[in-house]
Amino acid sequence: MASYLTEPFDRLPFGGAEKSRRYATERYQGAAGLNWYDCDPTLRFLMRRHLGDGFGWAEPRLREMGALMGGPIAERAEETDRNPPRLEKYDRWGRDISQVVMPPSFEAARRDLVATSFTRPSFVAEAEANGVDPAPLGVAWSYLLDQADIGMACALGTGGDMVVALTEAFAPDDVKARVRELFAEGEMSGEAAQMLTERSGGSDLGALESTAFRDGDAWRLNGLKWFASNANGSAFVVLAKSVGAEDGVRGIAPFLVLRERRDGSRNGVRIRRLKDKLGTRSVASAEIEFTDAEAFLLAPSTSAGRGGDGKGLARMMELTNNARLGISMMGLGCARRALVESLCYATTREAFGAPLAEQPLMRRKLAELIVETEAVQALVFDGYLGRPRLRVGAALIKLRAARLGVTAASDAIEIHGGNGYIEQWPVARILRDAQVNPIWEGGDNILCLDVRRAIERQDAHEPFLDRLTEAVQQAPPGDDATADLVTDRIAHLREAINRWRGLDRTVAEARLYPLAQYMADVYAAALLLEQAGWERADSGTDRKALVARLYARSRLADTGPLRAIDAPAEDQERFKDLTDGALIDTRD
């Protein structure tokens, strides 16, 4: 039943019930209100695979989480975007309190998420007591949350694992106890933040200016962080140089700064202003000034009052792979939400006598979006759950996943037409939010440099290529041409890496981007073939084999002089198989 008034133009001579049906508000429900677990066959497939016998215990909990994310969390995300955090800088007597006031919608969402997180200690213990691996469930939880609000995911998970790990390794015992209290509800409690970027540079960390000097078993830290997300947290990992240290990367050390000093008084942490951001408004990002802030060195101490052993940044960067995978999951979440919104809209909106989803060109676009999203889904889940973890994996996965979040959101806006460009519709926010993912935890160029570092210093391409070969060997029989194509490309990729290593240093750096893209292309194709083998064994069906074939044909095949215009039209002929495996609208 419509909730809006009938207008005079609804009765114009060239109008009528059939035309007005096209723009009946109640028909356009979108992703919000769906159970995001029940409506996602790809997630259910991956959970069956990774949980094994534990799937029966886990599924009711996954279904409950799908209802929470697609319902209250998604609804509150829209409200928080309209009413973002604000800064109360001074109290009534003009004293600096630097208090971030979060909107009620954020606080309600955070309470529900912390209480139900699949990474909270009580849930992990319960899962393990029932013989269930909690790791896949934690990945699924993040995947579902990121479809609702990647800003909230950042607010809950900005470096919690890093804060806990480094504190346990290096901080004084009383500080360890305090941090354990802050993170009693798990690393996703929203208490942590990483503070790296300064006005002197973001990626160029060696140029930072923040300085610390020793004060007993603590330090005093001074400096300004230019872009600090989760500014309303309680425990910060802050990069600084100690007095007398080298002015460069080796002089950097990580320090722990808590909101309160040991004696319970307010620490020297001042918020200058909140950033007026394009998106991710549910996470408070700020310029933060440290003025003689009490800090604790998160590295081995050295003599002469210098902080750290020159390896503090490298040690911290080892922990950034988790953060990069987290951003990759955010990109995937944006892409998945964009896909669901696009399918919901295209199957409802009618033009030229048929729904958009029945038009050949729209089918092409939707099919491509399905295939690309599932390829990135395969990458991200392998990054989290594949063993052993690949040294180059996180950089390659983020390179592809973060960018897909942006392009998928842009496609979703185009599919919605002019409506997509309007903030009342959900896809404009997805694009605003997604645009930060290529920046957070290193842009494309920084990721490429990390790939170079891993290859040159650790020969990390060898286990990577072995993983690809292993994945292709799991391909199902019946489509040997796709498996042969990917196998050939693995060999070509090995040759490309070897040739690249022999290039002039400047040229080699310039060629890093196409090399990394090639690596990501073959990686995703191999994983899709592996999933196709799992699906054949699980249900005897071949949809994933279709997805792998379409992806490999698009990304890896020689298109010939006709640019694949004469290629098989499986995206059209089997469009229903693609969409049925991507979305089940449980409201039907």
Side-chain angles (χ1 to χ4, degrees):
M1 184 67 68
S3 60
Y4 45 84
L5 297 173
T6 300
E7 302 286 350
F9 57 74
D10 290 323
R11 297 186 293 270
L12 292 173
F14 292 103
E18 186 59 30
K19 285 184 180 178
S20 64
R21 178 180 172 275
R22 292 188 188 184
Y23 50 87
T25 302
E26 64 272 14
R27 296 181 64 227
Y28 296 90
Q29 298 186 64
L34 287 169
N35 183 308
W36 287 354
Y37 173 76
D38 283 340
C39 77
D40 190 347
T42 64
L43 178 59
R44 299 206 305 272
F45 164 68
L46 288 171
M47 289 297 99
R48 286 197 305 274
R49 171 65 188 180
H50 288 292
L51 289 169
D53 293 340
F55 179 71
W57 178 89
E59 186 167 47
R61 293 158 177 84
L62 287 161
R63 181 166 289 118
E64 184 177 303
M65 193 58 58
L68 175 67
M69 299 299 190
I73 302 302
E75 181 180 349
R76 292 168 186 158
E78 299 293 338
E79 179 64 23
T80 300
D81 184 68
R82 291 189 293 268
N83 300 280
R86 60 183 175 83
L87 175 64
E88 284 192 5
K89 179 64 174 170
Y90 303 106
D91 69 8
R92 66 185 66 184
W93 285 106
R95 296 184 180 276
D96 190 331
I97 58 173
S98 290
Q99 181 178 350
V100 178
V101 179
M102 305 302 293
S105 54
F106 174 92
E107 297 291 4
R110 180 166 62 178
R111 281 194 300 272
D112 283 350
L113 290 167
V114 171
T116 61
S117 167
F118 287 167
T119 62
R120 70 190 190 277
S122 60
F123 181 86
V124 171
E126 183 184 359
E128 291 176 341
N130 283 275
V132 178
D133 181 3
L137 292 170
V139 175
W141 185 84
S142 294
Y143 171 76
L144 291 168
L145 171 58
D146 284 328
Q147 294 173 53
D149 188 357
I150 67 169
M152 176 61 79
C154 178
L156 293 177
T158 306
D161 56 342
M162 183 182 296
V163 169
V164 172
L166 292 176
T167 299
E168 288 294 331
F170 300 111
D173 288 342
D174 62 323
V175 177
K176 290 179 185 177
R178 175 60 180 142
V179 169
R180 289 173 193 149
E181 290 177 10
L182 291 173
F183 292 91
E185 296 300 320
E187 295 170 1
M188 289 285 187
S189 66
E191 296 288 352
Q194 302 174 67
M195 300 196 179
L196 289 66
T197 301
E198 298 188 4
R199 291 180 294 191
S200 56
S203 300
D204 185 9
L205 291 173
L208 68 80
E209 299 167 320
S210 292
T211 306
F213 62 91
R214 191 187 293 274
D215 182 16
D217 68 343
W219 293 71
R220 291 286 179 259
L221 194 149
N222 292 275
L224 175 66
K225 295 300 177 179
W226 185 242
F227 202 107
S229 289
N230 211 26
N232 54 316
S234 299
F236 312 136
V237 172
V238 184
L239 292 186
K241 296 170 183 170
S242 63
V243 173
E246 180 181 338
D247 186 11
V249 171
R250 287 187 57 81
I252 296 173
F255 293 85
L256 174 69
V257 177
L258 300 178
R259 179 72 68 177
E260 296 179 349
R261 298 179 186 271
R262 275 171 158 167
D263 62 9
S265 64
R266 183 68 177 265
N267 208 351
V269 180
R270 301 173 184 270
I271 300 177
R272 286 193 167 188
R273 61 177 174 176
L274 296 184
K275 295 292 193 181
D276 186 7
K277 296 181 295 180
L278 176 68
T280 60
R281 292 172 177 166
S282 53
V283 60
S285 300
E287 298 162 20
I288 295 188
E289 180 184 1
F290 296 95
T291 54
D292 279 344
E294 181 182 67
F296 302 93
L297 179 64
L298 298 177
S301 60
T302 61
S303 60
R306 294 184 184 143
D309 55 0
K311 300 177 182 178
L313 180 60
R315 190 176 294 108
M316 184 175 169
M317 289 299 103
E318 290 176 5
L319 299 173
T320 62
N321 275 347
N322 277 346
R324 283 179 175 167
L325 287 174
I327 304 303
S328 302
M329 185 65 86
M330 292 178 189
L332 172 59
C334 291
R336 171 67 191 176
R337 178 69 181 275
L339 170 62
V340 175
E341 296 291 354
S342 296
L343 288 171
C344 289
Y345 191 84
T347 53
T348 303
R349 181 66 168 165
E350 297 170 8
F352 309 109
L356 294 180
E358 294 181 12
Q359 315 285 351
L361 282 169
M362 182 59 74
R363 285 190 165 191
R364 179 209 64 80
K365 181 178 283 291
L366 291 169
E368 182 179 278
L369 189 53
I370 290 169
V371 169
E372 291 291 332
T373 300
E374 292 188 31
V376 164
Q377 184 189 59
L379 288 170
V380 174
F381 274 71
D382 190 67
Y384 274 104
L385 301 174
R387 293 292 183 270
R389 282 194 176 180
L390 299 170
R391 169 63 181 84
V392 296
L396 294 175
I397 294 165
K398 182 184 180 296
L399 185 73
R400 180 56 50 83
R403 189 62 57 187
L404 178 66
V406 178
T407 58
S410 180
D411 282 343
I413 287 178
E414 181 184 351
I415 288 166
H416 283 68
N419 290 332
Y421 202 62
I422 305 304
E423 291 288 356
Q424 273 188 297
W425 293 77
V427 287
R429 179 176 69 87
I430 300 172
L431 180 60
R432 288 192 284 103
D433 285 357
Q435 190 61 63
V436 78
N437 290 325
I439 300 171
W440 275 344
E441 299 298 342
D444 290 355
N445 292 344
I446 296 300
L447 298 173
C448 289
L449 291 172
D450 190 49
V451 170
R452 180 179 71 180
R453 188 180 305 112
I455 293 174
E456 291 182 342
R457 297 182 183 179
Q458 299 166 263
D459 286 330
H461 59 292
E462 294 294 349
F464 172 75
L465 293 170
D466 290 344
R467 172 71 182 102
L468 270 55
T469 301
E470 171 193 293
V472 175
Q473 290 172 349
Q474 304 301 312
D479 189 8
D480 294 339
T482 303
D484 290 346
L485 171 61
V486 179
T487 299
D488 285 346
R489 295 302 180 261
I490 294 172
H492 293 168
L493 183 54
R494 179 180 293 278
E495 180 182 355
I497 292 171
N498 289 334
R499 292 279 189 93
W500 169 81
R501 297 186 85 171
L503 294 175
D504 169 82
R505 187 72 173 173
T506 300
V507 175
E509 183 171 318
R511 298 290 185 268
L512 273 169
Y513 184 76
L515 176 64
Q517 290 289 354
Y518 192 11
M519 294 172 75
D521 286 341
V522 185
Y523 188 13
L527 293 178
L528 286 172
L529 281 173
E530 181 179 62
Q531 289 191 357
W534 297 347
E535 183 191 53
R536 181 68 60 84
D538 179 63
S539 60
T541 53
D542 71 339
R543 180 185 173 278
K544 278 291 182 183
L546 170 65
V547 172
R549 190 160 57 249
L550 291 171
Y551 185 84
R553 189 178 295 155
S554 168
R555 292 278 184 171
L556 302 178
D558 181 358
T559 59
L562 298 184
R563 302 294 295 272
I565 291 172
D566 59 339
E570 290 185 288
D571 59 335
Q572 302 288 324
E573 296 163 0
R574 297 192 60 184
F575 181 74
K576 189 174 188 303
D577 289 337
L578 289 172
T579 55
D580 286 352
L583 176 66
I584 298 173
D585 193 334
T586 51
R587 293 172 300 213
D588 291 346

